[in-house]
Amino acid sequence: PAPAPPVPGLPSQRELEQARMALDRAERAFQQALGQQQNAIARRDQAQREFLQAQETFARQIQAAREQLAAAQAEVRALAAALPASLRAPGALAQATQAARRRLSELQTAWETSQREEKLASETLARAQTALEMAARQAAAACAARDEIAVRFHHDLRDAGFLDAQDYASARADSDEIARLDQRIQQFQRDLTSAAAKLEQARNAVEGLGRPDLFQLEAALARAQQERTYRQQRCAALEQDLQATRRHLAQLDALDAELAELEVRQRIAAQLADVAQGKNNFSVSFQRFVQITQLDRVLETASLRLRNMSKGRYCLQRAPEPESRSKAGGLNIHVLDSHTGQARPVSTLSGGESFLASLALALALSDVVQASAGGIRLDSIFVDEGFGTLDAEALELALATLRSLQIGGRLVGVISHVAELREQIPARIEIVPSHRGSSLTMVLP
């Protein structure tokens, strides 16, 4: 067959072999850089996924903390709705106030501790974020190196006049091209030597520096975020407890002031109640005091009538107070006998004298009632029995007293079986008994 004649300027076989070897080395470097780039991208993607997962976990924890906070706020409102009954006892309020103030001091100390711990967690988080940024920069540098090697490889192909590696394999270079390629190879060698020197310089610069462990840094970041979240929640809870304690202290102070005012009012009311119930120096209740006052008025009026009916011998007065303060007194009646000048109990009076004293008291009571209660008038009075115990003189005095009432405009009725009264009372109703029953007889003057 007819082989193609050589074209002037094509490289020799030796030059092609040298160029092929250089190309193989460049391809191996490119593949190594490409593998490093892929590893860096995989580590970056893994870090991003774990970071997103941590963010989702953080969001769920925040939501759960908000729900717990809402439940705690509802519980605080329910507890604040009513003051515990245990604080209403005397002295319990002061003890609860002291305990609440001690609790407030403890909460403030815990709040300060949580603030310091939150600051430490923030610093740890900042360091973790710095390490993560450094790792990202290193991954970006690897990607840039890979891109630079690929650009250089294609540049070398273009410099050699090939469209791609396949075009290069099918092409044959002439002597001039080989010379030119040789020059370029030499230039490449010089560049490679310079790059090797720079690489050595870079290695010396990074010697002793360890590659950051992204997994540990991300784990530290997650722990720091969890710790920060916990400290923030704890700080918020302590703040809520502090606010609730302050509100409780304000309520306790208000209740203390209200209790002091109520105690003053209670002491006044208790003192008035004791006086009204007779717990005083005289052992006399308010009701008995009023009764004693009314009895003095009745006795004063009754004594005037009894003195007339007994021809100036008797008058009524209250008995002296008992010697023992444990016994209620003030309502007993004594009769003062002008013949002896001494007072004695009304039980020592005879039957007739007792009737006169009772009559005087009944008439005096009606007079006092009319004088005290305006609009009330006692127009009638009835006396039932008792006249049989009187002698003729006493009977005459009693009837004279009753006649004075009649003259004053009152209707006086007497119920008695004493015969002498029929002669003294002109208008009367007589009851006549018989075997057929009793009958009434009207006797008019």
Side-chain angles (χ1 to χ4, degrees):
V7 179
L10 289 177
S12 64
Q13 186 65 31
R14 182 174 175 272
E15 292 173 346
L16 290 176
E17 292 295 331
Q18 291 177 354
R20 187 180 293 110
M21 292 174 63
L23 179 60
D24 292 339
R25 289 193 298 270
E27 287 179 349
R28 286 194 297 270
F30 173 77
Q31 293 297 330
Q32 184 178 2
L34 183 61
Q36 292 178 354
Q37 179 194 17
Q38 292 176 352
N39 292 334
I41 291 174
R43 289 195 298 271
R44 182 195 63 186
D45 295 340
Q46 180 66 21
Q48 288 179 350
R49 287 193 296 271
E50 293 178 354
F51 181 74
L52 291 176
Q53 292 177 359
Q55 283 184 339
E56 292 176 357
T57 304
F58 179 70
R60 289 194 297 270
Q61 291 177 351
I62 289 178
Q63 183 62 28
R66 288 176 178 173
E67 294 175 356
Q68 293 177 359
L69 176 61
Q73 289 176 346
E75 183 179 0
V76 167
R77 288 193 296 269
L79 291 175
L83 185 66
S86 59
L87 298 180
R88 300 175 185 174
L93 183 60
Q95 296 177 0
T97 302
Q98 295 177 359
R101 287 173 178 165
R102 290 194 298 270
R103 177 60 178 164
L104 176 60
S105 178
E106 294 174 357
L107 290 175
Q108 288 177 343
T109 302
W111 182 77
E112 293 173 355
T113 302
S114 66
Q115 288 289 333
R116 292 193 296 269
E117 293 175 351
E118 193 272 338
K119 181 179 180 181
L120 180 60
S122 298
E123 294 174 353
T124 303
L125 177 60
R127 289 194 296 271
Q129 289 177 345
T130 302
L132 181 60
E133 292 173 358
M134 183 181 295
R137 287 195 297 270
Q138 290 177 354
C143 291
R146 180 203 64 184
D147 296 336
E148 182 180 0
I149 293 173
V151 170
R152 186 180 299 170
F153 173 74
H154 292 292
H155 186 269
D156 291 340
L157 288 178
R158 287 194 300 272
D159 290 342
F162 301 102
L163 297 175
D164 49 22
Q166 184 177 2
D167 187 25
Y168 169 76
S170 62
R172 300 290 295 270
D174 55 10
S175 301
D176 295 337
E177 184 67 20
I178 291 173
R180 190 170 61 84
L181 290 175
D182 186 44
Q183 292 177 0
R184 295 190 63 182
I185 289 171
Q186 292 176 4
Q187 182 64 34
F188 175 78
Q189 291 295 333
R190 288 192 297 271
D191 294 340
L192 180 61
T193 302
S194 176
K198 292 180 180 179
L199 177 62
E200 185 65 23
Q201 183 180 1
R203 286 176 178 175
N204 293 332
V206 299
E207 185 177 2
L209 299 178
R211 184 183 295 274
D213 191 345
L214 293 179
F215 179 76
Q216 291 183 357
L217 291 176
E218 290 169 357
L221 175 62
R223 289 193 298 271
Q225 288 177 343
Q226 292 177 358
E227 183 68 18
R228 179 182 181 183
T229 301
Y230 170 75
R231 294 303 176 186
Q232 288 176 348
Q233 293 173 356
R234 181 62 179 167
C235 180
L238 291 175
E239 184 67 23
Q240 292 292 334
D241 293 342
L242 180 62
Q243 295 297 330
T245 303
R246 288 175 177 171
R247 290 194 299 271
H248 291 164
L249 284 176
Q251 293 175 357
L252 290 175
D253 292 339
L255 290 175
D256 193 10
E258 183 179 358
L259 179 61
E261 182 181 356
L262 291 176
E263 287 179 348
V264 172
R265 295 173 58 185
Q266 189 273 338
R267 284 195 296 269
I268 297 174
Q271 185 176 3
L272 292 176
D274 291 341
V275 172
Q277 293 176 1
K279 297 178 182 179
N280 48 53
N281 296 333
F282 303 98
S283 298
V284 177
S285 65
F286 181 74
Q287 180 181 5
R288 184 171 290 272
F289 173 77
V290 174
Q291 292 174 347
I292 290 173
T293 303
Q294 294 297 327
L295 180 60
D296 288 341
R297 296 178 60 188
V298 171
L299 292 178
E300 182 179 357
T301 304
S303 296
L304 296 176
R305 298 184 183 279
L306 182 59
R307 189 178 292 111
N308 292 332
M309 289 186 289
S310 63
K311 292 197 271 188
R313 180 177 179 180
Y314 296 123
C315 66
L316 299 174
Q317 64 181 17
R318 276 194 307 110
E321 300 294 335
E323 296 180 357
S324 176
R325 292 294 184 186
S326 60
K327 296 181 180 179
L331 297 179
N332 294 324
I333 302 175
H334 278 189
V335 59
L336 179 61
D337 191 346
S338 61
H339 290 179
T340 62
Q342 295 181 353
R344 51 192 174 91
V346 292
S347 60
T348 60
L349 295 175
S350 63
E353 293 171 344
S354 297
F355 174 77
L356 294 177
S358 299
L359 181 60
L361 286 172
L363 298 176
L365 180 61
S366 65
D367 293 339
V368 170
V369 168
Q370 287 188 115
S372 300
I376 297 178
R377 177 174 177 80
L378 300 178
D379 295 328
S380 302
I381 183 171
F382 291 86
V383 182
D384 185 10
E385 294 296 343
F387 293 96
T389 60
L390 302 177
D391 55 19
E393 185 177 4
L395 178 61
E396 182 62 30
L397 292 174
L399 290 175
T401 301
L402 296 177
R403 290 191 189 96
S404 65
L405 295 177
Q406 185 179 13
I407 295 172
R410 294 185 182 180
L411 174 64
V412 180
V414 177
I415 303 173
S416 179
H417 62 281
V418 178
E420 289 81 357
L421 290 177
R422 289 196 296 270
E423 299 175 359
Q424 299 291 335
I425 299 176
R428 60 186 182 274
I429 300 175
E430 294 183 355
I431 301 176
V432 181
S434 67
H435 64 281
R436 295 181 180 180
S438 300
S439 59
L440 299 180
T441 301
M442 301 291 295
V443 179
L444 299 175

